[in-house]
Amino acid sequence: MRFPLRTASLRQLVILSFLLAMIPVGVLMWQSHKALSGLSRFATSEAESAVISVRRAESMQNLVVDIERAVRQYAVVKTEALARVALSHINNQQASLSQLCNDLPELSDCLQQQADLQQLAAEYTQLSGAPLEQLLQQIRLRQQRISQQIWDLLEQRLVDQQQLVQDAQQRQAWQTVALVVLTLLLVLWASGRVAAPVQKLDKMIRAIGQQQQFPEGKLDGPRELSELGEQLRWLSSRLQQLEALRLILLRHASHELKTPLSSIREGCALLTEQLLGPLNSQQLEVVMLLNGSADRLSQLTEQLLDYNRLLQQAKPELSHQVPQQLLQACFADHALSLQQRQQQIKLDCQLSSFYTDETLFRRILDNLINNAQAYGAEGSPVWVKLYKKDDMLVLDVANNGAPIPTALREKLFEPFQRGTTPRFDSVQGSGLGLSIVADCARLLGGHADIVDVVYADVCIRVRLPLLEEK
């Protein structure tokens, strides 16, 4: 069974996620209102009860005084009016005491006080002297203890009320934490519903940009992102078709050019050597121009073939290399062109060995030396430095000449991009040299860029990771 949100739009998902996240907040607000209302009602009830109990205790204390006065007066005068007054005070005290004992059953002296009042009501007309004073004093002292117990009970209730408030606060805090965690989980779930397809879209875009295997499976998520994933899949398929056509065209064009080019070069060589008959000076000049054009076309064809082979190489073939031998072999291949422009190699090699792909590293060297020779100033040295820095293998090839503007530096590493500075050799470049350097560095896990150094006007720096044999 598929989850219904999988086909929802991004807007619906955002709105639904917001509503889901608001549910715990609403529950928290309702719980807080309920707890505060309960505490408010409880506090009001306790306050009213405390006021009533205090007033009743004060009233009963006054009644005890009135009872003593009326009983003593009756003991002296013995009139019916004083007897009725004393009995009325005793009855009022009994009624108040009975109600107080019902409201506060915790009072321990209630029953004894009721018994003493009953005894006083029955015998106050007969008692006199010491027995009467003893009974009145007993009632007075017990009433004082009852008042003190009332205050103690009120203080205990106040403590209990404070504890109840603390328990409610703690319970509210735990509920808040739980609801916040629930809200966070809902937010994480909602963000995951959006982040997961976005991450997959990022992988798709990276796969397209880096020419890697496109992720399989349909993108699962909001409708807009799912449709965007399908469009990226179509774009990847289309780019793969165009890339395949480009490689086929590049391969066939470069191979097909070699056959007629060989015939042209052979014919030019025969004419130059005058094996088919003597040539005048104008004819020799034309033949020399044809030879130069054929050589330039041959070099461009070789660059296209080299670039095509580089694009088809998917994985480096690593092995241990001796840098001095690799560098000297490269310098030997470029010795003639360097000698023609009176340029010398200044080598600074600080490594005795390293682990890399010989073909890819040699392509990097060949193109950098060729660029330094072609664009460098005549009679100026070409600096080649190979060293280690920050766990990286660094190759610097520098020369004097026209500096490269900062705005053009990144663009020069793209295919078929050439700078504004003219070459000083007889070959017109195709704009593939630095692109091949960048692609070779990328295949080796590194990158190439143009940096500023104090000893030269132009420096191409290639940083490669220090690989180890597995």
Side-chain angles (χ1 to χ4, degrees), residues 247-248 251 306-315 443:
L247 292 177
I248 293 173
R251 183 172 61 251
D306 189 49
Y307 186 64
N308 187 36
R309 287 192 295 268
L310 177 63
L311 292 177
Q312 293 177 349
Q313 183 171 355
K315 186 177 180 181
L443 287 174

Side-chain angles (χ1 to χ4, degrees), residues 331-341:
F331 300 158
D333 291 342
H334 295 272
L336 183 59
S337 58
L338 291 169
Q339 183 178 0
Q340 289 176 350
R341 304 204 62 235

Side-chain angles (χ1 to χ4, degrees), residues 8-256:
S9 66
L10 187 59
R11 177 181 296 179
Q12 292 173 348
L13 180 59
V14 172
I15 295 175
L16 180 59
S17 302
F18 176 76
L19 294 178
L20 288 176
M22 289 298 297
I23 290 176
V25 177
V27 172
L28 178 61
M29 294 177 63
W30 178 76
Q31 289 285 355
S32 300
H33 175 73
K34 182 179 178 182
L36 289 176
S37 298
L39 289 175
S40 177
R41 289 193 298 269
F42 177 75
T44 302
S45 176
E46 288 293 316
E48 293 176 353
S49 176
V51 171
I52 293 173
S53 298
V54 170
R55 288 177 178 176
R56 188 176 296 162
E58 292 179 353
S59 175
M60 292 175 65
Q61 192 71 31
N62 294 330
L63 279 174
V64 168
V65 174
D66 293 339
I67 289 172
E68 289 186 13
R69 185 184 301 115
V71 170
R72 285 193 176 93
Q73 289 176 355
Y74 178 79
V76 175
V77 180
K78 294 188 181 293
T79 62
E80 290 294 330
L82 291 175
R84 288 194 298 271
V85 171
L87 184 59
S88 175
H89 289 329
I90 293 173
N91 291 334
N92 291 335
Q93 181 72 357
Q94 286 179 329
S96 299
L97 184 63
S98 176
Q99 188 174 3
L100 181 64
C101 292
N102 291 331
D103 294 341
L104 300 175
E106 302 92 342
L107 298 176
S108 59
D109 290 334
C110 269
L111 296 178
Q112 291 83 352
Q113 185 75 336
Q114 287 178 342
D116 291 342
L117 288 174
Q118 290 176 359
Q119 181 182 357
L120 181 62
E123 300 178 359
Y124 76 95
T125 57
Q126 303 173 5
L127 294 175
S128 62
L132 180 61
E133 290 295 329
Q134 183 178 1
L135 181 58
L136 290 176
Q137 183 179 6
Q138 183 175 342
I139 291 174
R140 183 175 63 254
L141 293 176
R142 186 169 282 119
Q143 185 60 43
Q144 292 177 354
R145 289 199 298 271
I146 290 175
S147 298
Q148 185 61 40
Q149 289 177 6
I150 290 175
W151 283 106
D152 293 341
L153 285 174
L154 290 178
E155 291 180 357
Q156 183 61 40
R157 286 190 176 184
L158 180 60
V159 173
D160 294 341
Q161 185 176 358
Q162 292 176 347
Q163 184 63 39
L164 180 63
V165 171
Q166 292 178 358
D167 293 341
Q169 290 177 343
Q170 185 176 9
R171 184 168 55 254
Q172 190 69 21
W174 282 112
Q175 290 177 353
T176 302
V177 171
L179 291 175
V180 167
V181 171
L182 179 59
T183 303
L184 180 61
L185 292 176
L186 290 174
V187 171
L188 291 176
W189 172 83
S191 61
R193 292 287 303 168
V194 178
V198 170
Q199 291 176 354
K200 193 167 183 180
L201 286 174
D202 179 69
K203 292 181 180 179
M204 291 178 176
I205 294 173
R206 290 179 181 275
I208 293 175
Q210 299 175 0
Q211 298 181 359
Q212 298 176 351
Q213 180 66 30
F214 197 81
E216 298 292 337
K218 184 179 180 181
L219 190 144
D220 188 14
R223 184 171 58 248
E224 292 88 345
L225 299 182
S226 180
E227 293 175 354
L228 181 58
E230 292 303 315
Q231 291 175 0
L232 286 176
R233 188 179 302 279
W234 171 83
L235 177 61
S236 174
S237 175
R238 182 61 178 167
L239 288 177
Q240 288 178 359
Q241 294 175 2
L242 294 176
E243 181 68 13
L245 290 175
R246 185 179 69 88
L247 292 177
I248 293 173
L249 176 62
L250 190 63
R251 183 172 61 251
H252 283 239
S254 57
H255 278 285
E256 292 298 327

